[in-house]
Amino acid sequence: MTTGTAATRVLGVLAIITTAWVVVSAFFLTPADVVQGDSVRIMYAHVPTAWIAYLAFVTTAVASGFSLVRKHRTLGFDRVAGASAEVGVLFMAMTLITGSLWGRITWGTFWQWDPRLTTTLFLFVTYVGYLAIRRVDVDPVRRARRSSVIALLAVLEIPLVHFSVVLWRSLHQEASVLNTDGDVRLDGLMLFTLFSGVVAFTLMFVWLVMHRQRLTALSDLERVVGLDAAISARRAEGVSGIHAT
Amino acid sequence: MASDTAKAGSDAAILLSGVVVALGGFPALAGVDLAVRSGELVALRGANGTGKSTLLRLCAGLTPLTRGSARVLGVDVATQRDTVRSLVGLLGHDNGLYSDLTARENVQFVAHLVGAGTSDVDAALDRLGVDARVAATRAGALSAGQRRRTALASLVVRRAQLWLLDEPHAGLDSAARSELDGILREATRSGATVVYTTHESDALGATVPRTITLTSGVVARDVMEHSR
Amino acid sequence: MASDTAKAGSDAAILLSGVVVALGGFPALAGVDLAVRSGELVALRGANGTGKSTLLRLCAGLTPLTRGSARVLGVDVATQRDTVRSLVGLLGHDNGLYSDLTARENVQFVAHLVGAGTSDVDAALDRLGVDARVAATRAGALSAGQRRRTALASLVVRRAQLWLLDEPHAGLDSAARSELDGILREATRSGATVVYTTHESDALGATVPRTITLTSGVVARDVMEHSR
Amino acid sequence: MNTVLAIARKDLTIEWRTRTLLARVVPFALLVLVLFAVALDSEPLILRAAAGLVWLAMLFATMLLVQRSFDLETADSALDALLGFVSSSSKVFFGKALSLFVQLFSLAVVLVCAAVVLYGARVEGGGVVLLVTVLLTATVGLALVGTLYGVVVANMNGRDSLLPLLALPVLAPLLIGATRATEAAFGSDTIDVSNGWAWAALLAVYAVVFGSAGAAAFAPLAQGDS
Amino acid sequence: MNTVLAIARKDLTIEWRTRTLLARVVPFALLVLVLFAVALDSEPLILRAAAGLVWLAMLFATMLLVQRSFDLETADSALDALLGFVSSSSKVFFGKALSLFVQLFSLAVVLVCAAVVLYGARVEGGGVVLLVTVLLTATVGLALVGTLYGVVVANMNGRDSLLPLLALPVLAPLLIGATRATEAAFGSDTIDVSNGWAWAALLAVYAVVFGSAGAAAFAPLAQGDS
Ligand code: HEM
Ligand SMILES: Nc1ncnc2c1ncn2[C@@H]1O[C@H](COP(=O)(O)OP(=O)(O)OP(=O)(O)O)[C@@H](O)[C@H]1O
Ligand SMILES: Nc1ncnc2c1ncn2[C@@H]1O[C@H](COP(=O)(O)OP(=O)(O)OP(=O)(O)O)[C@@H](O)[C@H]1O
Ligand SMILES: [Mg+2]
Ligand SMILES: [Mg+2]
């Protein structure tokens, strides 16, 4: 059995094509930055991954909301929520990795205690915790409820990350040491490449979530089939028990 | 094999049909059909691991339903578990006591929440033979039987419409057993429904009105005594 | 009241005289004199809270002695509790299982520590009716009776010289009860001493060689069957 | 309301009887403050960090108190029964949060006094009112979040380690807010009192958000546990 | 010896099955590192305190792991039986300490790497050997002290809060020693590598002292529990 369909195959191909374009453009077509030199090329991976991670976590929250409200398709929505969170954690990890590599090149250290970086890390850990709760082996409906509540609370951290620069430092008088948005000026091609990156990663996100979701659906199905077999086995046992007494 | 599960209707305290409960992928209940009328006293029997506790926990709204339909006191267990919980009194394998409160404080706490008075607490403790010294001892320090008695006293104070008791006799001495016998019969007389599990042949006197036997997650026998 | 506690001697498995055990200021045992010979099978009875569990825990070296003297298998319980522990197999109200290991792994662990082999493990599990599926399930997910059976299998693997069992029948179905009956009788036949508590009148077949009844922390009756 | 109070009173009775807070959590939190000082090993540095360290110690203490609060309920499956006795599960939520608040607030007062003594923090004038407000709003927030995540992990195997993992990231904004506002109250030179009030207001919003979230989410969460 | 290994293997099997360390304690400890940085809120300060913060996080993580390790034993009174199976209770002590050591050492490696990434700590040359030695000796000490106090509070009501209270003061010297030695390995300017080795030697002495104390005291302690 595969988890692919015509739709996912088209998506996959599109994702590969756009990604290839982003790579070519990022490395060869766009200019190096005046201040940062070639390292600015990391941006084309760094920024889109962050945004796609947001997208993934929002998707998780929305699916979780439906899973809580709907009485019947609880588990279907829960699967989407779980798959999306997994992919989101993956993307957020890539944001952290590309960011700290970039930091290593531009600031000379992997990490700085900047509000955005710190809150990003919290966001990441929150969803690692979310996945940990999902791993706990309990009844699926029960698990869906618990993790939905957590997902709905966790998504509130995204505005915190986004506005952390304003929120946290503005109350401090000093200007921020690291100005995440100030020192990169984007020309037309750079912007286009950046948004191509967003498109490419969005496609990749959708593709991954669909596969992941189907995979869990399949294994759930397998469990149902397994349960059917187990039920008939147990019933057979029961019947023979009756004859024995 | 006198099977008699067909009687449904509005006065059914428990109404299960095709109930499957899977725990960790294992069908602890593998298709149970069962109807218990209001005011019945039912003994649930069966070998170890046949699903008795699972059945009780399902009816108390503590375990989710995997397949089939289950109504308890007219309420759907799958969708309204909160309501089910508030109607049912369950005594599980655990006693549900706070070990740092005294036996009396434990019962008192329950009484307060369900709106019963102090006299009810005293009556219940007295009835279950929890004397003043024991009542004033922290629950964590009590003997196994004394803890079980205290939990039963809470249940008496509770006055639930449906009593579900999982091996209520375990740990009780013979005096407490016969007292429990009386309590359960009284409860049914005043309209409550009682389902309890047991492994002992002579647990509740000689005549239990109805005995249901589980085998491997299904109902294997359902026997009524002719008269009550 | 046929008291018969005077028989002391070197072959005494348990020898208590004037034993007082105070728990939180309360004399759970209030002066117990008792002698159990090696190879005896003794049932300990009494109402709830009369000190049965306390007596067993004392003999297992788990509860300190307040007054009097107590020797178990010739070892002084007050001073050499570590030695006592290693000679005695106790099954308390708790089962002593690791809930994240499977039933089989639990028994296997005990077997490894006491130097028993894999075949012993299989034999013990088989004897207690723990089938392959149950043996491969984590202990935390088992039913009450399955847990009790697993704990008993550990005890069988253990082959202690003195077996102390606190309500071993609780939670067991009738098949397991009669198996337990056989196990205990076999153990005494091979020279071990067995003391168990129970509240059930017919727990271990009809004839138990000796029944000791406690009342309020003292021995009230000590009855021997004439022949074994 | 009566139910909420009864549940809180039950928890506080147990607390009073076992003296968990007084005999164990308070000394633990004080110890954490001392250990920070040891780990940092520099006077001016410690003074600068005083507010942050107080709230960090509060966070750890909250984890302990929440665990204790739910261990009481799950040790003998009392929570299963408790949820059947009340007309709405949110009463259980507020009852447990209330008792947690009372304990946390007392602890916070002790820790602030300790910071004054140990770290040489100073509070004067308008700072006092701000400080009290911050202590109130922040401990309310801690109690609500703690209770909410406490019930999420209640009955779970290995919940001791799961609780901090889930709750601490969510509490991070509270840590930051409370720290900044307390710094202001301690008369720091990097933040003034009016800014401190802004943070206190944010803390209040935080508490309200989690209060409503907790009340709404408690039922499905508590329903689900075994 | 065989018994010691069997007990350690049992604990590690359970750990592997429940993934407590990997899925919960490691993230928790990393979170603690981050929270410290947030509470301190100043780059140079964080760098200066890096070594101390790593070991403080280790201390808190030790509390969690010890609690977990003894919860396993006491949840269903398994410890009572376990002590009867072994010829000498000190084997239980060393078995549980061994499994704790394995877990703590892995955690320490992760945390040091995190300090390099997050706090900008640097290790080079002779520092590496010193660092590994410190990690080994200090985690051995943590494991031994943790196990010893774990059994003291095992079976006690409210042990979650009692354990840190008892163990942390005893661990304070270890915290100081490990911090100083790690600072030396991180190339601090207040302490040089040879001094670091002196501290490492002290840590080894500490471990030996608690190893013998634990082996001797375990029997009466374990006996005493109810
Ligand atoms: C580990 C280190 C880093 C992390 C965790 C990180 C995280 C993030 C996140 C979460 C965003 C999305 C913000 C939003 O739109 O809400 C972002 C955006 C961005 N980051 Fe980073 N970042 C890191 C390092 C860096 C470095 C070193 C630079 C450049 C010197 C940089 C430049 C940018 C830029 C230009 C944006 C997009 C503009 C913006 O929305 O502010 N980042 N980063
Ligand atoms: N997670 C799980 N994985 C596999 N099997 C499970 C799991 N949880 C429960 N079971 C099985 O489901 C059944 C549950 O039975 P239940 O506890 O209802 O039995 P019972 O009739 O009450 O038995 P007892 O008389 O021993 O109390 C047991 O056979 C148990 O082994
Ligand atoms: N800390 C304490 N304070 C007061 N009384 C205590 C304390 N600990 C134990 N007790 C009392 O000591 C007695 C202990 O009895 P034990 O557990 O040995 O009874 P048992 O014969 O095993 O009873 P059961 O049949 O109920 O298991 C009980 O009456 C109990 O109330
Ligand atoms: Mg059962
Ligand atoms: Mg007893």
Side-chain angles (χ1 to χ4, degrees), chain A residues 36 43 46-47 50-51 54 92 95-104 106-107 110-111 116-117 120-121 158 161-163 178-181 183-184:
Chain A
Q36 304 204 353
M43 176 180 70
H46 174 74
V47 178
W51 290 350
Y54 291 172
M92 196 94 272
T95 311
L96 285 163
I97 291 169
T98 52
S100 44
L101 285 179
W102 198 356
R104 176 74 206 182
T106 50
W107 319 317
F110 285 111
W111 191 263
R116 169 158 295 163
L117 270 58
T120 306
L121 198 57
I158 290 181
V161 178
H162 190 73
F163 296 113
L178 159 82
N179 190 336
T180 16
D181 6 42
D183 53 1
V184 180

Coordinates of all heavy atoms in Angstrom, one line a residue, chain A residues 36 43 46-47 50-51 54 92 95-104 106-107 110-111 116-117 120-121 158 161-163 178-181 183-184, ligand 1:
Chain A
Q36 N 26.4 41.7 4.7 CA 26.5 40.4 5.2 C 27.2 39.4 4.2 O 27.6 38.3 4.5 CB 25.2 39.8 5.4 CG 24.4 40.6 6.4 CD 23.3 39.8 7.1 OE1 23.1 38.7 6.8 NE2 22.7 40.4 8.1
M43 N 19.1 33.3 4.3 CA 17.8 33.9 4.5 C 16.7 33.1 3.7 O 15.6 32.9 4.2 CB 17.8 35.3 4.1 CG 16.4 36.0 4.2 SD 16.5 37.7 3.7 CE 16.8 37.6 2.0
H46 N 15.9 30.3 5.8 CA 15.6 30.6 7.2 C 14.2 31.2 7.3 O 13.4 30.7 8.1 CB 16.6 31.6 7.7 CG 16.4 32.1 9.0 ND1 16.6 31.4 10.2 CD2 15.9 33.3 9.5 CE1 16.3 32.1 11.2 NE2 15.9 33.3 10.8
V47 N 13.9 32.2 6.6 CA 12.6 32.9 6.8 C 11.4 32.1 6.4 O 10.5 31.9 7.2 CB 12.7 34.3 6.0 CG1 11.3 35.0 6.2 CG2 13.8 35.1 6.6
A50 N 10.6 29.4 9.0 CA 9.9 30.0 10.1 C 8.4 30.2 9.9 O 7.5 29.8 10.6 CB 10.5 31.3 10.6
W51 N 8.1 30.8 8.7 CA 6.7 31.0 8.4 C 5.9 29.8 8.2 O 4.8 29.7 8.6 CB 6.6 31.9 7.2 CG 7.1 33.3 7.5 CD1 7.4 33.8 8.7 CD2 7.4 34.4 6.5 NE1 7.8 35.1 8.6 CE2 7.8 35.5 7.3 CE3 7.3 34.5 5.1 CZ2 8.2 36.7 6.7 CZ3 7.6 35.7 4.5 CH2 8.1 36.8 5.3
Y54 N 5.0 28.4 11.5 CA 3.8 29.0 12.0 C 2.5 28.4 11.3 O 1.6 28.1 12.0 CB 3.8 30.5 11.6 CG 4.8 31.4 12.3 CD1 5.0 32.7 12.0 CD2 5.6 30.9 13.4 CE1 5.9 33.5 12.6 CE2 6.5 31.7 14.0 CZ 6.7 33.0 13.6 OH 7.6 33.8 14.2
M92 N 10.5 24.1 12.2 CA 11.1 25.0 13.3 C 12.5 24.6 13.6 O 13.3 25.5 13.8 CB 10.2 24.9 14.5 CG 10.3 26.0 15.5 SD 9.2 27.4 15.3 CE 10.1 28.5 14.2
T95 N 14.5 26.2 11.1 CA 14.7 27.7 11.4 C 15.8 27.9 12.4 O 16.7 28.7 12.2 CB 13.4 28.3 12.0 OG1 12.3 27.9 11.1 CG2 13.5 29.8 12.1
L96 N 15.8 27.1 13.4 CA 16.8 27.2 14.5 C 18.2 26.9 14.0 O 19.1 27.6 14.2 CB 16.4 26.3 15.7 CG 15.3 26.7 16.5 CD1 14.7 25.5 17.4 CD2 15.7 27.8 17.4
I97 N 18.3 25.8 13.2 CA 19.6 25.4 12.7 C 20.1 26.5 11.7 O 21.2 27.0 11.8 CB 19.5 24.0 12.0 CG1 19.2 23.0 13.0 CG2 20.8 23.7 11.2 CD1 18.9 21.6 12.5
T98 N 19.3 26.9 10.7 CA 19.8 27.9 9.7 C 20.1 29.2 10.4 O 21.1 29.8 10.2 CB 18.7 28.1 8.6 OG1 17.5 28.4 9.2 CG2 18.6 26.9 7.7
G99 N 19.2 29.5 11.4 CA 19.4 30.8 12.1 C 20.7 30.8 12.9 O 21.5 31.7 12.9
S100 N 21.0 29.6 13.6 CA 22.2 29.7 14.4 C 23.5 29.6 13.5 O 24.5 30.1 13.8 CB 22.2 28.6 15.5 OG 21.7 27.4 15.0
L101 N 23.3 28.9 12.3 CA 24.5 28.9 11.4 C 24.7 30.3 10.9 O 25.8 30.8 10.9 CB 24.2 28.0 10.2 CG 24.3 26.5 10.5 CD1 23.9 25.7 9.3 CD2 25.7 26.2 11.0
W102 N 23.6 31.0 10.6 CA 23.7 32.4 10.1 C 24.3 33.2 11.2 O 25.2 34.1 10.9 CB 22.3 32.8 9.8 CG 22.3 34.1 8.9 CD1 23.3 34.8 8.4 CD2 21.1 34.7 8.4 NE1 22.9 35.8 7.7 CE2 21.5 35.8 7.6 CE3 19.7 34.4 8.5 CZ2 20.6 36.6 7.0 CZ3 18.8 35.2 7.8 CH2 19.2 36.3 7.1
G103 N 23.9 33.0 12.4 CA 24.4 33.8 13.5 C 25.9 33.5 13.7 O 26.7 34.4 13.9
R104 N 26.3 32.3 13.5 CA 27.7 31.9 13.7 C 28.5 32.7 12.7 O 29.6 33.2 13.0 CB 27.8 30.4 13.4 CG 29.2 29.9 13.4 CD 29.8 29.8 14.8 NE 31.3 29.9 14.7 CZ 32.1 29.8 15.7 NH1 31.6 29.7 16.9 NH2 33.4 29.9 15.5
T106 N 27.5 35.7 11.0 CA 27.4 37.1 11.2 C 27.8 37.7 12.5 O 28.4 38.7 12.6 CB 26.0 37.6 10.8 OG1 25.1 36.9 11.6 CG2 25.7 37.5 9.4
W107 N 27.4 37.0 13.6 CA 27.7 37.5 14.9 C 28.9 36.8 15.6 O 29.3 37.1 16.6 CB 26.6 37.3 15.9 CG 25.2 37.6 15.4 CD1 24.8 38.7 14.7 CD2 24.0 36.9 15.7 NE1 23.5 38.6 14.4 CE2 23.0 37.6 15.1 CE3 23.7 35.8 16.5 CZ2 21.6 37.1 15.1 CZ3 22.4 35.3 16.5 CH2 21.4 36.0 15.9
F110 N 26.7 31.0 17.9 CA 25.5 30.3 17.4 C 24.2 30.9 18.0 O 23.2 30.8 17.4 CB 25.6 28.8 17.9 CG 26.6 28.0 17.1 CD1 27.8 27.6 17.7 CD2 26.3 27.7 15.8 CE1 28.7 26.8 16.9 CE2 27.2 27.0 15.0 CZ 28.4 26.5 15.6
W111 N 24.4 31.5 19.2 CA 23.1 31.9 19.8 C 23.3 33.2 20.5 O 24.4 33.5 21.0 CB 22.8 30.8 20.9 CG 21.4 31.0 21.4 CD1 21.0 31.6 22.6 CD2 20.2 30.6 20.8 NE1 19.7 31.6 22.7 CE2 19.1 31.0 21.6 CE3 19.9 29.9 19.6 CZ2 17.8 30.8 21.4 CZ3 18.5 29.7 19.4 CH2 17.5 30.1 20.2
R116 N 13.5 37.3 20.1 CA 12.9 36.5 19.1 C 13.5 35.1 19.2 O 12.7 34.1 19.1 CB 13.1 37.1 17.7 CG 12.7 36.1 16.7 CD 12.3 36.7 15.4 NE 11.1 37.5 15.5 CZ 10.8 38.5 14.6 NH1 11.5 38.7 13.6 NH2 9.7 39.2 14.7
L117 N 14.8 35.0 19.3 CA 15.4 33.7 19.3 C 14.9 32.9 20.5 O 14.5 31.7 20.4 CB 16.9 33.8 19.5 CG 17.7 33.9 18.1 CD1 17.2 35.1 17.3 CD2 19.2 34.1 18.4
T120 N 11.3 31.8 20.1 CA 11.3 30.7 19.0 C 11.6 29.4 19.7 O 11.0 28.4 19.5 CB 12.3 31.0 17.9 OG1 12.1 32.3 17.4 CG2 12.2 30.0 16.8
L121 N 12.6 29.4 20.6 CA 13.0 28.2 21.2 C 11.9 27.7 22.1 O 11.6 26.5 22.1 CB 14.2 28.5 22.1 CG 15.0 27.3 22.5 CD1 15.5 26.5 21.3 CD2 16.3 27.7 23.3
I158 N 2.5 32.1 19.1 CA 3.1 32.6 17.8 C 3.1 34.1 17.8 O 4.1 34.7 17.4 CB 2.3 32.0 16.6 CG1 2.6 30.5 16.5 CG2 2.6 32.7 15.3 CD1 1.9 29.8 15.4
V161 N 6.0 35.3 19.6 CA 7.3 35.2 18.9 C 7.4 36.4 17.9 O 8.4 37.1 17.8 CB 7.4 33.9 18.1 CG1 8.7 33.8 17.3 CG2 7.3 32.7 19.1
H162 N 6.3 36.6 17.2 CA 6.3 37.6 16.1 C 6.5 39.0 16.7 O 7.3 39.8 16.1 CB 5.0 37.5 15.3 CG 5.1 38.3 14.0 ND1 5.8 37.9 12.9 CD2 4.5 39.5 13.7 CE1 5.7 38.8 12.0 NE2 4.9 39.8 12.5
F163 N 5.8 39.3 17.7 CA 5.9 40.6 18.3 C 6.9 40.7 19.4 O 7.0 41.8 20.1 CB 4.5 41.1 18.8 CG 3.5 41.2 17.6 CD1 2.4 40.3 17.6 CD2 3.7 42.1 16.6 CE1 1.5 40.4 16.5 CE2 2.8 42.2 15.6 CZ 1.7 41.4 15.5
L178 N 20.7 43.0 18.0 CA 20.5 42.3 16.8 C 19.2 42.8 16.2 O 18.2 42.8 16.8 CB 20.3 40.8 17.0 CG 19.6 40.0 15.9 CD1 20.5 39.7 14.8 CD2 18.9 38.8 16.5
N179 N 19.3 43.4 15.0 CA 18.1 43.9 14.4 C 17.7 43.0 13.3 O 18.2 43.0 12.2 CB 18.4 45.3 13.9 CG 17.1 46.0 13.5 OD1 16.1 45.3 13.2 ND2 17.1 47.3 13.5
T180 N 16.8 42.1 13.6 CA 16.5 41.0 12.6 C 16.0 41.6 11.3 O 16.1 40.9 10.3 CB 15.4 40.1 13.2 OG1 14.8 40.7 14.3 CG2 16.1 38.8 13.6
D181 N 15.2 42.7 11.4 CA 14.7 43.1 10.1 C 15.4 44.3 9.4 O 15.2 44.6 8.3 CB 13.2 43.4 10.2 CG 12.7 43.4 11.6 OD1 13.4 43.9 12.5 OD2 11.6 42.9 11.9
D183 N 18.8 45.1 8.9 CA 20.1 45.2 8.1 C 20.1 44.5 6.8 O 21.1 44.4 6.1 CB 21.3 44.9 9.0 CG 21.1 43.5 9.6 OD1 20.0 42.9 9.3 OD2 22.0 43.1 10.4
V184 N 19.0 43.9 6.4 CA 18.9 43.3 5.1 C 18.0 44.1 4.2 O 16.8 44.3 4.6 CB 18.4 41.9 5.2 CG1 18.4 41.2 3.8 CG2 19.3 41.1 6.2
Ligands
HEM1 C1 19.1 30.6 16.0 C2 18.9 31.8 15.5 C3 17.7 32.4 14.9 C4 16.4 32.0 15.1 C5 15.8 31.0 16.1 C6 15.6 32.9 14.3 C7 14.2 32.8 14.2 C8 13.4 33.5 13.4 C9 12.0 33.5 13.3 C10 11.1 32.7 14.2 C11 11.6 34.3 12.3 C12 10.2 34.6 11.8 C13 9.7 35.9 12.5 C14 8.3 36.2 12.2 O1 8.1 36.6 11.0 O2 7.5 36.2 13.1 C15 12.8 34.9 11.7 C16 12.8 35.8 10.7 C17 14.0 36.4 10.2 N1 15.2 36.2 10.7 FE1 15.8 34.9 12.1 N2 16.4 33.7 13.6 C18 17.7 33.4 13.9 C19 18.8 34.0 13.4 C20 18.8 35.0 12.5 C21 20.0 35.7 12.0 C22 21.4 35.4 12.4 C23 19.6 36.6 11.1 C24 20.4 37.6 10.3 C25 21.4 38.2 10.6 C26 18.2 36.4 11.0 C27 17.4 37.2 10.1 C28 16.1 37.1 10.0 C29 15.3 37.8 9.0 C30 15.8 38.8 8.0 C31 14.0 37.4 9.2 C32 12.7 37.9 8.4 C33 12.2 39.2 8.8 C34 11.4 39.2 10.0 O3 10.3 38.7 10.0 O4 11.9 39.7 11.1 N3 17.7 35.5 11.8 N4 13.9 34.4 12.4

